[in-house]
Amino acid sequence: MDKSAVDRQIKQMVEFIKQEANEKSQEILTKAEEEFNMEKLRLVEQEKVKVKTEFDRKNKQVEIKKRIDFSNEVNASRLKVLQEREGVLDKVKDAVLQQLVSSGEPSQPAYKEMLTKLILQGLYQLKEDKVVVQVRKSDASVGATAAKDAAATYKKSTGKDCKVDCDTQNFLPDKNDPVKPCAGGCKLMTPDGRISVDNTLNARLNVVLAQKLPDIKILSSGAPPPAPTLTRASSKRHVLTIGRGVTCQECWSRAEKVGAVLRNGGGHVIGRRRGAG
């Protein structure tokens, strides 16, 4: 083989190797680019998930903060209402207490009769053979007479003797006591002091305030809206009358259940069950 043929063959081999190298290089670049794009896509999606998770977390925090703020505002409003209501109750209690102080004067003719009834009521509650009665120091004379009258009435009504003694050593606070003033009345107890009945005017006032608390709430904050009333209009239909300008889902539900005509406080029909006469 001559030299030129060898050169051509070597040249062909070199060209072939270069072509193989270029193809291999292109294949590596293509694969690297694909891997790069895949990794980039993976990272982008991963960051999207992180961003979405962070957004959801912060959005949830904002919602929770809104709920907490709303709850705090509601609680503050309720607390303010309760404080206002307590203020009204205190004013009512002070006003009534002043009247009780006036009626609890020993010089008042009706006070002796009231004190006798309070002692008698305590005797009925205790049902003991011996009872000690405590009164204010200013009521010592009236209290002793009232205790005798109450004991006589108790024996007459029950047929049982009860020795009622007024405590001359320990007295109830005076009406001008700076710590716990007493408007009048009495306190009954057994000789050992284990069982007692507080029948002071202050204690009775607290009982009445507890009983009349719903009425006081209505007077201080207004009456609640009227409840719906259901009346039979005919044998085939009912009329559901509610307060003027008041509509609620409950009224509609009740109207649906009984096949009723729904009227407002003015008597105007504001709804009718389908098929109702």
Side-chain angles (χ1 to χ4, degrees):
M1 182 178 297
D2 57 3
K3 184 178 180 182
S4 59
V6 173
D7 291 338
R8 284 195 306 272
Q9 189 174 4
I10 291 174
K11 187 176 181 180
Q12 289 177 356
M13 293 176 65
V14 171
E15 291 296 332
F16 177 77
I17 293 172
K18 286 182 177 180
Q19 184 178 355
E20 286 289 331
N22 291 333
E23 291 177 357
K24 191 68 175 177
S25 173
Q26 189 64 33
E27 182 181 349
I28 293 173
L29 289 175
T30 303
K31 187 177 181 180
E33 186 174 359
E34 290 178 355
E35 291 180 353
F36 169 77
N37 291 332
M38 290 177 62
E39 182 67 16
K40 182 177 70 174
L41 182 62
R42 186 186 67 82
L43 292 175
V44 169
E45 292 299 326
Q46 183 177 344
E47 291 301 319
K48 283 183 180 180
V49 172
K50 288 183 179 180
V51 171
K52 186 177 183 304
T53 303
E54 184 68 15
F55 174 78
D56 292 340
R57 184 182 68 83
K58 291 186 177 181
N59 191 37
K60 188 175 182 180
Q61 287 180 346
V62 171
E63 291 296 328
I64 292 175
K65 187 177 184 302
K66 286 182 179 179
R67 293 179 183 179
I68 292 175
D69 293 340
F70 177 75
S71 179
N72 290 337
E73 290 179 2
V74 171
N75 291 335
S77 300
R78 289 177 179 173
L79 183 60
K80 185 177 181 180
V81 171
L82 291 176
Q83 290 175 346
E84 292 291 335
R85 185 175 296 168
E86 287 296 326
V88 172
L89 289 177
D90 290 340
K91 291 179 181 179
V92 171
K93 187 175 181 179
D94 291 340
V96 176
L97 191 59
Q98 292 299 323
Q99 296 183 11
L100 290 178
V101 169
S102 300
S103 62
E105 291 292 338
S107 58
Q108 293 286 341
Y111 181 66
K112 176 180 175 297
E113 181 182 356
M114 179 177 64
L115 188 58
T116 302
K117 291 180 179 179
L118 290 174
I119 296 174
L120 182 61
Q121 186 184 53
L123 296 179
Y124 285 139
Q125 289 180 284
L126 289 175
K127 297 179 181 180
E128 296 287 336
D129 297 333
K130 294 182 180 181
V131 175
V132 178
V133 178
Q134 284 185 351
V135 295
R136 297 178 302 182
K137 193 171 184 178
S138 58
D139 299 339
S141 178
V142 179
T145 305
K148 291 180 181 179
D149 295 343
T153 305
Y154 179 79
K155 182 178 180 180
K156 184 178 179 180
S157 60
T158 63
K160 298 180 180 179
D161 289 323
C162 180
K163 184 180 180 182
V164 183
D165 296 325
C166 281
D167 194 340
T168 58
Q169 300 295 328
N170 303 300
F171 296 97
L172 296 177
D174 189 68
K175 66 178 182 180
N176 297 321
D177 187 84
V179 179
K180 194 175 182 181
C182 180
C186 61
K187 190 172 183 180
L188 297 86
M189 64 187 69
T190 55
D192 56 7
R194 293 184 177 181
I195 306 175
S196 64
V197 175
D198 192 348
N199 253 0
T200 60
L201 296 183
N202 301 66
R204 301 304 296 267
L205 174 60
N206 292 333
V207 172
V208 173
L209 283 177
Q211 293 174 348
K212 295 296 182 180
L213 185 59
D215 297 333
I216 296 174
K217 288 180 179 179
I218 292 175
L219 292 174
S220 62
S221 58
T229 56
L230 186 65
T231 58
R232 181 173 292 277
S234 67
S235 59
K236 293 184 179 181
R237 68 176 185 176
H238 295 74
V239 176
L240 190 64
T241 304
I242 60 177
R244 182 180 299 272
V246 180
T247 57
C248 63
Q249 186 62 36
E250 181 182 357
C251 299
W252 288 104
S253 300
R254 292 182 62 185
E256 287 288 336
K257 289 180 180 179
V258 300
V261 177
L262 193 64
R263 299 180 185 272
N264 63 11
H268 301 288
V269 176
I270 59 175
R272 187 188 303 270
R273 183 177 182 268
R274 185 177 300 175

